[in-house]
Amino acid sequence: MIDKKLVSRFLIRPGSRASLHRRDPGWEEINTKATSKKDLKEKAQAALSESLEDLRREQDVLWAADQYSLLIVLQAMDAAGKDGMIKHVMSGVNPQGCEVRSFKQPSSEELDHTFLWRTMKAAPERGKICIFNRSHYEDVLVVRVHPELLGKTGLPADKISKRIWDERFDDIKTYERHLARNGTKILKFFLHISKEEQKKRFLDRLNDPSKHWKFSAADVAERKHWEAYQAAYEQMLSATSTSYAPWYVIPSDSKWVARALVAEIVARTIADLKLTYPKVDKTKRKELDAARRALEREA
């Protein structure tokens, strides 16, 4: 298990300022310092395996107890590893109790509703884990970096003011507080990747035919807005990390370190709920005893 104090380093504490340039996306420490990249990967894989066992067990109780739900929000620059994170961290959970929702360019129907509408519909039901691959935060990130997109939302002109981003932060916090008050635990992860590592991963996709399907020319075009995105992320993280819906900035230049940290935080969050399997009443226990005796009497 990864040390709790170590994990807390990546939390954006409510009310604090998120300075991404002070957070190293290539951070290479997990339990003990690694002596090489190979050593780092082995330590991270071992920590991930242990956390996945914990997560399988905790998800089973979450599903059976049917009291709480868990919403995991993943946000990142392109090629930071969101898809791989989902694949590896959720590899062993019960598919009945887990779902993934991806939010890309909004449809015409979605644009005719509030920016929160499409994620409101996708919120997890009790007992389930739901992962948002991108989320309601796209509307204070992509739309902020490309403000011309606001004109395509259908918003009345008098609703597009200089305070629109602060207003949207308030709307998001109200939405998340509502979910939390009704039993949804919320974890939000920003997968923090360096511009150099992103370039390396893009080139890997371009040089490997089996990965061509992952690449889009638009991804390279967005690199021109790198600093604008970093500024938008910093303001978003600072404004919306709360006690009921915290943000974690996960160093993601090493995919295995990132996966180990996220798995540990998710497993620990469910464990902290102190859930137990449902207990049956006396009437039900009598039925169970009768069924057991009937089976034992069979030849």
Side-chain angles (χ1 to χ4, degrees):
M1 179 176 288
I2 303 173
D3 184 77
K4 194 170 185 178
K5 290 183 179 179
L6 189 61
V7 171
S8 69
R9 294 185 192 181
F10 309 105
L11 173 68
I12 300 297
R13 301 193 180 282
S16 67
R17 185 174 180 275
S19 299
L20 293 180
H21 66 281
R22 295 182 180 178
R23 292 175 176 268
D24 180 14
W27 181 84
E28 294 188 353
E29 181 183 1
I30 188 164
N31 287 329
T32 58
K33 289 184 179 179
T35 57
S36 66
K37 286 190 175 181
K38 181 180 178 182
D39 185 36
L40 168 68
K41 183 175 180 179
E42 290 176 354
K43 288 180 181 297
Q45 286 178 318
L48 176 61
S49 295
E50 186 176 353
S51 294
L52 290 183
E53 286 301 317
D54 293 339
L55 180 55
R56 291 185 189 101
R57 182 173 59 253
E58 297 301 337
Q59 188 235 358
D60 194 56
V61 183
L62 177 74
W63 172 254
D66 198 31
Q67 295 176 328
Y68 285 87
S69 59
L70 176 64
L71 173 60
I72 299 171
V73 173
L74 295 180
Q75 288 288 156
M77 298 293 287
D78 294 313
K82 296 188 305 299
D83 292 342
M85 179 70 69
I86 295 168
K87 176 181 178 180
H88 287 273
V89 173
M90 309 310 292
S91 61
V93 300
N94 183 348
Q96 291 186 98
C98 181
E99 57 186 341
V100 179
R101 297 295 183 95
S102 296
F103 297 97
K104 299 182 180 179
Q105 185 175 339
S107 66
S108 57
E109 179 187 22
E110 289 167 345
L111 288 173
D112 274 339
H113 291 80
T114 73
F115 78 95
L116 289 171
W117 180 73
R118 61 179 183 167
T119 54
M120 286 178 176
K121 296 194 305 174
E125 60 191 84
R126 299 189 196 284
K128 283 194 172 184
I129 298 173
C130 183
I131 302 167
F132 283 1
N133 186 348
R134 300 190 187 276
S135 66
H136 42 295
Y137 285 96
E138 291 294 285
D139 287 273
V140 292
L141 293 168
V142 177
V143 180
R144 187 167 192 172
V145 173
H146 298 284
E148 65 276 9
L149 294 176
L150 275 174
K152 300 179 180 180
T153 63
L155 274 176
D158 63 339
K159 298 301 180 182
I160 303 176
S161 69
K162 292 181 179 180
R163 294 199 67 255
I164 188 169
W165 309 117
D166 289 332
E167 290 168 351
R168 287 193 168 190
F169 291 151
D170 288 341
D171 291 340
I172 288 170
K173 287 187 288 186
T174 299
Y175 163 53
E176 292 176 348
R177 186 184 297 113
H178 170 72
L179 291 178
R181 284 175 173 169
N182 285 273
T184 298
K185 295 293 293 184
I186 304 171
L187 291 173
K188 301 179 296 193
F189 299 102
F190 170 56
L191 307 186
H192 188 24
I193 187 176
S194 66
K195 194 174 184 181
E196 294 74 20
E197 179 64 21
Q198 187 195 58
K199 177 181 177 180
K200 178 182 175 182
R201 294 182 188 181
F202 280 166
L203 287 172
D204 182 51
R205 292 178 181 181
L206 288 168
N207 293 328
D208 184 347
S210 69
K211 296 181 179 179
H212 283 177
W213 65 274
K214 289 185 176 183
F215 187 79
S216 168
D219 295 341
V220 174
E222 286 298 275
R223 278 174 63 84
K224 298 177 182 177
H225 305 283
W226 184 273
E227 294 304 324
Y229 272 110
Q230 297 301 295
Y233 267 110
E234 284 189 350
Q235 292 184 44
M236 177 269 287
L237 293 165
S238 301
T240 62
S241 191
T242 60
S243 59
Y244 51 84
W247 273 108
Y248 290 86
V249 176
I250 303 296
S252 299
D253 277 7
S254 168
K255 295 178 181 180
W256 289 105
V257 167
R259 293 163 185 168
L261 289 170
V262 169
E264 173 65 20
I265 294 167
V266 173
R268 183 170 284 162
T269 296
I270 303 175
D272 286 346
L273 294 174
K274 306 296 183 185
L275 298 173
T276 59
Y277 289 103
K279 295 181 179 179
V280 299
D281 56 24
K282 290 182 179 180
T283 301
K284 184 65 175 179
R285 282 201 299 271
K286 288 180 179 179
E287 291 179 3
L288 296 176
D289 289 340
R292 185 184 300 109
R293 290 194 296 271
L295 286 170
E296 291 172 345
R297 286 196 297 266
E298 287 185 3

